[in-house]
Structures are given as structure tokens and as C-alpha cells.
């Protein structure tokens, strides 16, 4: 393994040397080409517009549809004097299209919202397919620099171990996004039955029993579903266990790994995990969890909550109400659910799963074919400053002032109670051509999010989600998530295979243990043996090595 690490480090050193023009003749050609590129366009000073006096054209490959109808993009072309020839592809076909483009050398100037992964960033950057952005950011990207300074975690998603940033991320500091594993209870049932909000696992169990046996919807039928979830592989954060498992241990079902200081640990065989399984089995055996929770989708949850007469569902596991009700729906059910705070575990601990600031890597990259990279970086830099976009009168994610947003009045309060700066006019969940949506690299900083007028009509997810998260979850937030890691292609393939094999074992046995197909105590040794066969120790080892390598280079 030491030998493999040495090879990888040497490879990265070579990439770094090549990018600085200190290597072979090929590297010198790349350096010469970069110099020619910088001479091909004269851009205005950073933060001034238009970007160029004579109109320039960028060819951009992006996910999306009907950009020619987008009002913001039309305005932004006039504002920047940069025309974009868009080549659009459905999000589901992005990876296939990306690979075809790279293989054929038919490269656009820019890749936007194509989901360039960590290994692809290292590989494509090392091969010169996408160019280092370091110097461009330093010279032409003040807003990007500011983003990295205010949200240093973003550097982990942009800068590879060779020291180069080949891609730019999207950063979202929303507290609602950072703690996604929530339990939502139908408050009218609590009120009708005179039940207080549960604070312990025993109280939670008793509440579900009451939902099942005391006819809280009042129709005289035993048709209530105390608790339900959905298949997490297709419905993230709707799994039945993640909220409850936090009462026993820090639990990340995506990896079954966690950080203990600088040490990577596997959690799927710990005694605390076993105790969590026992509790879930107790709920399931008492018919308190919907039997289809392992296979159904969110639509099944919505069918229960939006039942014509009354909600039939007591507790839904979800990130926010729109994942199990109709947000802004005519019945108003979405307003009748409230979150349950983290429950005290066997040792009295209350824990909320905190994944930290949400960063999406690989949102933007410039290819070697781009003759005007300084124009490309100026074009994207503006998206990282919300205040400048508002000042211009046209915000990429909100739209035009007076149509997509308006200035807040003096008496309007923001989400956090401070004076608001702006009010959203188009609800988040409405599809529109008035703005660019979330199809661009952005920095959704917390100050900007909280400066939004607290209007439940247009921003229910952020307004209510932030309040619920801040009041009930943040006091118990624990973040032990494995940070973003750059692997070599060989490491990534190995890690991916190991993760797939280990997850197959954990997921299969989880369902069997909870449903009673297997006995948690009698069949535990078999489970542990299968984990060994799946090379769980190697899975941890490879992740640890990648963590150590990434942190040495930070």
C-alpha cells in the first residue's frame, strides 16, 4: 500500500510540475498556450461590467433545458457582453455526455453543472483537459476568492491534492440543509390525544402506540399509520432509521463510517448500532412502522398525509415537509406537521445528524479549448456575490426586481429576526424562466439566506425549516461525517467496490433484522462474518489513507 501511495504522490507531483510549466516540452506548450489565451481578450477590471467591449462567445455544455427562453440569461448577455452558445443535456445523461466529449476531444469552452466528480477532476486536470483555475481566480475572481475565505470548507471540494483547483463548487450554508435527518409529527393528533412532544425513546414508542389505538383521525376506523418512511436509495432522508439511530450513535447510512478525531471508524458493527436495531425491531413488531417503508416512494407518504378527510400518517421521516406533503397545497396539511427534537438515548444523549455546509463539487470547469479563460472566469465570478446581483436589479436565483423579488420594507423581518433585505416573490418550488434556478455555481451564504423576508407563502421550506432546525436540532448537532476526499482513479475504483459490497451487507441485514426475518442476537455473528467477507477492514483502510493524503496536502 505504501508503494501505491508513493506512486500516486509522484503522479500528483508530475501534474503539479506540468501545470507550472516546469516539466517537459509538452508542459511548456501548455504554458505557451495559456499565455496566448490570456492575450486573446481584454477584460474590464474585476466587478465592472460589461466584461468585454467587443462581444465574445463562450461555448458551454450544461444540464438544463430551454435556456433560450430564460429571461435572466438574456439580460446577463447584455450585462456582460458575452454571448453563450449552450449545448444542453438532461441531468440524467450528464455523465455519459461528459465522457463522450472528453473521449472525442470535442470540448466546449466551459462545463457547467455537469457534476464533474473528484476522480474526474484529478484525471482531467492531470491530462490538461480542464485547466487550473488558481491564477485566473487570483487575477479575475474576487468573489470566488471571498467565497473560499468565508467558507473554507469549499476548498476541500475544489483544490485537489496537487494544489490546483480544476473545478468550482456550489456552496449552500442553509441550516435547513445541514441537518436533513428529521422526524415530522402530525400535531393535530398530539393535541387531540393530549400527548406532549416526546423527548425519550420510551415516550416516542408510547406516542406511536396511541396513534395506532386511539383513533386520532376520528373516523372510527383503525386506519392510522403511526410512522412511515420511504426507500432511501431513491428518496434521500426518508429512511425510517436515521433520526432514531442518532439516539444510539452517530449514524451516517450513506457510508456507515464516521470520524473519531482523525481516525476513520466503521459504525455498522458497534454495540450501539445493535441496540438501535433492537429498538427499531420493537417498533416494527408492534406494527408501528408501515410495512412498505423499505420499498415505497415519497408519493406513498403524500397519499397518506393528503388523505381527503384527514391525515392518516402520524410521523414521517423526511428532510422537509415537501417530501411527504403537498407544499402550499390546498388542504394546508404541510403546515400541520412539526418536527420532533432529537430523543434522549439509553445514556441520555441527544444527537442530531449534522453534515455541515452543503457543497456540490464540479459545478464549473474551463477546458483547454477555451481561448478566453479570463472571460469565462469573470462570467462565473459574479454568481458568487448575492449582494452585487441584488444591486444590479437582476439576481440569477431570484430573477428581476419587481418580478422575482423586491426590496424589503423597513418593518419586515428576515428569517433570523433581523431586518430583511429582500422578499422573494416566486416560491422556491415553482418552475420558471424568470431566473436561472440552481443551474449555476453559487454561494448561498447564511447572511443572504437569513436576510430574506420571512414569508411562509413564498419560502416555507427555508423559513420554517430554519426555525425548526435552529430551535430543535442545532443545540444537539454532531458532525462526524467523512469529509470530501480526492482519490486517485485506482483508489476510487477500489473504494467504490468496497463501499458497494459493504453497503450491500449492511442494507440487506438491516431490513432482515428490523422485520424479524433474522434474529438480531442469534444471527449477529453471521452478519459480522459477512462484513469481513466484504472486506470492511480494507474499506476503512482505503478511506483512512485517502483522508491522510488529503489532509497532508491542505
Amino acid at each position: 500500500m505504501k508503494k501505491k501511495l508513493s506512486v500516486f504522490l509522484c503522479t500528483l507531483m508530475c501534474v503539479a510540475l506540468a501545470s507550472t510549466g516546469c516539466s517537459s516540452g509538452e508542459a511548456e506548450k501548455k504554458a505557451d498556450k495559456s499565455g496566448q489565451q490570456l492575450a486573446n481578450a481584454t477584460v474590464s477590471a474585476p466587478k465592472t461590467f460589461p466584461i468585454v467591449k467587443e462581444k465574445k462567445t463562450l461555448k458551454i455544455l450544461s444540464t438544463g433545458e430551454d435556456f433560450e427562453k430564460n429571461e435572466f440569461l438574456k439580460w446577463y448577455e447584455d450585462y456582460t457582453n458575452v454571448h453563450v452558445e449552450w449545448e444542453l443535456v438532461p441531468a440524467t445523461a450528464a455523465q455519459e455526455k461528459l465522457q463522450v466529449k472528453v473521449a472525442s476531444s470535442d470540448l466546449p469552452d466551459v462545463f457547467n453543472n455537469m457534476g464533474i466528480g473528484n476522480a474526474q477532476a484529478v484525471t482531467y486536470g492531470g491530462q490538461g483537459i480542464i485547466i487550473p483555475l488558481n491564477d485566473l481566480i487570483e487575477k479575475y475572481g474576487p468573489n470566488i476568492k471571498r467565497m473560499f475565505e468565508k467558507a473554507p470548507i469549499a476548498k476541500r471540494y475544489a483544490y485537489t491534492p496537487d494544489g490546483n483547483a480544476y473545478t468550482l463548487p456550489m456552496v449552500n450554508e442553509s441550516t435547513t440543509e445541514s441537518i436533513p435527518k428529521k422526524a415530522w409529527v402530525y400535531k393535530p393528533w398530539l393535541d387531540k390525544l393530549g400527548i406532549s412532544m416526546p423527548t425519550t425513546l420510551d415516550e416516542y414508542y408510547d406516542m406511536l402506540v396511541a396513534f395506532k389505538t386511539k383513533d386520532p383521525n376520528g373516523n372510527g376506523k383503525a386506519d392510522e399509520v403511526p410512522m412511515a418512511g420511504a426507500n432511501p436509495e431513491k428518496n434521500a432522508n426518508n429512511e425510517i432509521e436515521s433520526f432514531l439511530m442518532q439516539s444510539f450513535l452517530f449514524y451516517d447510512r450513506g457510508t456507515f463510517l464516521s470520524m473519531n478525531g482523525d481516525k476513520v471508524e466503521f459504525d455498522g458493527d458497534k454495540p450501539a448500532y445493535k441496540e438501535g436495531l433492537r429498538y427499531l425491531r420493537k417498533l416494527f413488531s408492534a406494527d408501528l412502522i408501515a410495512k412498505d417503508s423499505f420499498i415505497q416512494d415519497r408519493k406513498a407518504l403524500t397519499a397518506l398525509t393528503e388523505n381527503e378527510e384527514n391525515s392518516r400518517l402520524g410521523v414521517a421521516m423526511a428532510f422537509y415537509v415537501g417530501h411527504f406533503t403537498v407544499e402550499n397545497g390546498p388542504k394546508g396539511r404541510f403546515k400541520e406537521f412539526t418536527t420532533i427534537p432529537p430523543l434522549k438515548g439509553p445514556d441520555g444523549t441527544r444527537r442530531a445528524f449534522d453534515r455541515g455546509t452543503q457543497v456540490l463539487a464540479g459545478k464549473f470547469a474551463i477546458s483547454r479549448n477555451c481561448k478566453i479563460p479570463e472571460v469565462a472566469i469573470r462570467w462565473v465570478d459574479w454568481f458568487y456575490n448575492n449582494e452585487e446581483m441584488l444591486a444590479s436589479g437582476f439576481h440569477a436565483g431570484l430573477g428581476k426586481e419587481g418580478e422575482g423579488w423586491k426590496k424589503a420594507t423597513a418593518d419586515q423581518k428576515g428569517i433570523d429576526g433581523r431586518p430583511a433585505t429582500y422578499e422573494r416573490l416566486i416560491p422556491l418550488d415553482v418552475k420558471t424562466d424568470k431566473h436561472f434556478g440552481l443551474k449555476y455555481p453559487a454561494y448561498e451564504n447564511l447572511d443572504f439566506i437569513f436576510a430574506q423576508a420571512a414569508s411562509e407563502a413564498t419560502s416555507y421550506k427555508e423559513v420554517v425549516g430554519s426555525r425548526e432546525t435552529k430551535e430543535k436540532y442545532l443545540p444537539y448537532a454532531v458532525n462526524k461525517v467523512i469529509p470530501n476526499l480526492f482519490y486517485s482513479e485506482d483508489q476510487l475504483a477500489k473504494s467504490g467496490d468496497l463501499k458497494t459490497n459493504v453497503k450491500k451487507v449492511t442494507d440487506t441485514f438491516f431490513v432482515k433484522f428490523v422485520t424479524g426475518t433474522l434474529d438480531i442476537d442469534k444471527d449477529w455473528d453471521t452478519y459480522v462474518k459477512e462484513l469481513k467477507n466484504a472486506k470492511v477492514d480494507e474499506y476503512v483502510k482505503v478511506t483512512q489513507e485517502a483522508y491522510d493524503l488529503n489532509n497532508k496536502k491542505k
Side-chain angles (χ1 to χ4, degrees):
M1 184 55 66
K2 289 182 178 178
K3 182 176 180 182
K4 290 182 179 179
L5 281 172
S6 297
V7 172
F8 180 45
L9 285 168
C10 289
T11 301
L12 291 175
M13 289 175 64
C14 289
V15 173
L17 287 171
S19 67
T20 57
C22 298
S23 184
S24 64
E26 180 62 30
E28 292 173 5
K29 290 179 182 179
K30 289 181 182 178
D32 290 343
K33 184 177 180 182
S34 176
Q36 291 171 1
Q37 288 174 331
L38 291 174
N40 280 330
T42 301
V43 298
S44 61
K47 298 195 174 201
T48 61
F49 292 89
I51 293 173
V52 287
K53 291 183 179 180
E54 295 183 9
K55 180 164 283 193
K56 298 294 181 181
T57 297
L58 289 173
K59 296 180 179 180
I60 302 181
L61 174 65
S62 177
T63 58
E65 58 184 16
D66 296 331
F67 280 8
E68 66 274 7
K69 300 178 183 178
N70 191 278
E71 293 182 19
F72 166 77
L73 292 177
K74 293 178 182 177
W75 175 86
Y76 197 46
E77 177 170 340
D78 290 338
Y79 191 61
T80 60
N81 206 25
V82 177
H83 173 68
V84 176
E85 291 182 7
W86 293 99
E87 181 177 357
L88 302 178
V89 59
T92 54
Q95 277 300 307
E96 180 182 356
K97 186 69 172 180
L98 178 64
Q99 292 168 19
V100 168
K101 284 288 185 181
V102 169
S104 66
S105 296
D106 179 22
L107 302 175
D109 294 322
V110 168
F111 296 98
N112 177 72
N113 206 36
M114 292 297 290
I116 297 174
N118 289 350
Q120 289 171 321
V122 171
T123 302
Y124 298 164
Q127 295 174 350
I129 294 168
I130 53 179
I131 65 173
L133 305 177
N134 306 38
D135 290 343
L136 291 168
I137 293 170
E138 186 64 31
K139 294 177 182 178
Y140 306 107
N143 292 320
I144 299 171
K145 285 177 63 178
R146 172 176 168 268
M147 177 269 294
F148 283 133
E149 291 168 359
K150 288 183 170 290
I153 190 176
K155 293 181 179 180
R156 276 191 167 275
Y157 293 78
Y159 287 87
T160 63
D162 70 0
N164 285 319
Y166 297 105
T167 67
L168 294 176
M170 172 184 283
V171 182
N172 188 340
E173 293 181 342
S174 165
T175 53
T176 305
E177 297 278 350
S178 67
I179 302 179
K181 311 295 185 182
K182 298 182 176 75
W184 298 80
V185 63
Y186 191 53
K187 197 170 184 302
W189 287 8
L190 291 178
D191 296 340
K192 182 175 182 179
L193 299 178
I195 299 174
S196 299
M197 184 68 74
T199 60
T200 68
L201 292 167
D202 288 341
E203 291 175 357
Y204 182 80
Y205 176 86
D206 292 341
M207 179 192 71
L208 295 184
V209 171
F211 286 172
K212 177 177 172 58
T213 61
K214 295 186 177 182
D215 192 28
N217 67 11
N219 65 0
K221 304 175 184 178
D223 61 349
E224 290 87 353
V225 179
M227 167 185 162
N231 180 351
E233 301 306 320
K234 297 181 180 179
N235 307 273
N237 304 312
N238 285 114
E239 65 272 12
I240 63 168
E241 81 274 17
S242 286
F243 169 80
L244 294 170
M245 272 292 184
Q246 305 307 321
S247 297
F248 298 89
L249 78 169
F250 181 85
Y251 173 80
D252 182 355
R253 80 169 314 278
T255 63
F256 275 84
L257 300 174
S258 64
M259 295 303 306
N260 184 358
D262 288 325
K263 182 182 179 183
V264 177
E265 293 185 350
F266 179 73
D267 300 315
D269 59 356
K270 290 182 176 179
Y273 176 67
K274 190 175 183 180
E275 288 303 308
L277 288 174
R278 286 199 181 100
Y279 181 76
L280 289 164
R281 173 60 191 150
K282 177 183 177 181
L283 299 184
F284 195 89
S285 63
D287 200 25
L288 302 178
I289 300 175
K291 295 293 190 291
D292 291 335
S293 292
F294 303 106
I295 58 175
Q296 65 189 5
D297 60 17
R298 289 172 182 158
K299 292 180 181 178
L301 300 179
T302 303
L304 290 172
T305 61
E306 298 289 340
N307 182 55
E308 191 61 35
E309 297 178 356
N310 199 337
S311 175
R312 290 181 53 213
L313 180 60
V315 176
M317 299 300 180
F319 163 40
Y320 87 112
V321 291
H323 285 172
F324 63 91
T325 66
V326 177
E327 186 175 354
N328 296 315
K331 297 187 183 72
R333 298 277 168 77
F334 68 102
K335 291 186 176 181
E336 297 177 326
F337 281 84
T338 187
T339 56
I340 301 174
L343 303 171
K344 293 179 183 178
D347 62 356
T349 299
R350 304 175 80 170
R351 187 183 294 107
F353 175 88
D354 183 3
R355 60 184 177 179
T357 297
Q358 285 303 282
V359 184
L360 297 178
K363 295 287 286 187
F364 180 92
I366 301 175
S367 87
R368 66 187 176 201
N369 284 8
C370 183
K371 301 295 191 297
I372 46 173
E374 70 278 25
V375 173
I377 205 74
R378 279 290 320 278
W379 184 88
V380 76
D381 180 70
W382 193 67
F383 295 143
Y384 284 97
N385 194 314
N386 292 292
E387 293 73 24
E388 289 182 4
M389 286 193 281
L390 289 178
S392 75
F394 219 133
H395 187 285
L398 296 171
K400 187 177 181 180
E401 183 177 2
E403 296 180 4
W405 66 279
K406 65 180 181 179
K407 291 183 176 71
T409 58
D411 60 337
Q412 283 184 298
K413 299 295 183 183
I415 291 173
D416 64 352
R418 291 181 291 177
T421 300
Y422 66 97
E423 180 181 351
R424 181 187 291 273
L425 300 179
I426 302 174
L428 277 169
D429 58 341
V430 173
K431 186 177 181 180
T432 178
D433 290 322
K434 298 289 186 182
H435 56 66
F436 202 14
L438 293 177
K439 299 180 179 67
Y440 62 96
Y443 177 34
E444 297 289 300
N445 56 303
L446 203 55
D447 286 342
F448 172 72
I449 294 170
F450 283 168
Q452 180 182 171
S455 169
E456 293 187 8
T458 57
S459 308
Y460 190 85
K461 173 184 175 183
E462 196 57 63
V463 173
V464 175
S466 293
R467 182 180 67 227
E468 297 280 316
T469 303
K470 180 180 179 181
E471 294 177 359
K472 300 179 183 179
Y473 286 79
L474 276 180
Y476 311 106
V478 176
N479 185 347
K480 299 173 70 176
V481 173
I482 303 297
N484 186 65
L485 301 175
F486 283 94
Y487 296 80
S488 67
E489 275 197 301
D490 289 342
Q491 281 182 323
L492 183 66
K494 187 175 183 180
S495 174
D497 289 341
L498 289 168
K499 178 181 177 181
T500 298
N501 294 336
V502 170
K503 279 278 291 172
K504 183 177 180 180
V505 174
T506 55
D507 293 351
T508 299
F509 275 81
F510 171 80
V511 174
K512 290 182 177 181
F513 282 147
V514 173
T515 59
T517 304
L518 292 177
D519 184 273
I520 295 172
D521 292 311
K522 293 179 181 178
D523 296 303
W524 188 257
D525 288 344
T526 301
Y527 167 59
V528 172
K529 182 179 179 181
E530 287 300 311
L531 286 173
K532 294 292 184 183
N533 291 339
K535 299 183 179 179
V536 65
D537 293 337
E538 187 68 14
Y539 173 46
V540 174
K541 183 180 179 182
V542 170
T543 308
Q544 183 71 60
E545 289 171 345
Y547 175 83
D548 293 341
L549 178 62
N550 278 252
N551 278 275
K552 286 178 182 177
K553 291 292 180 180
K554 295 302 174 190

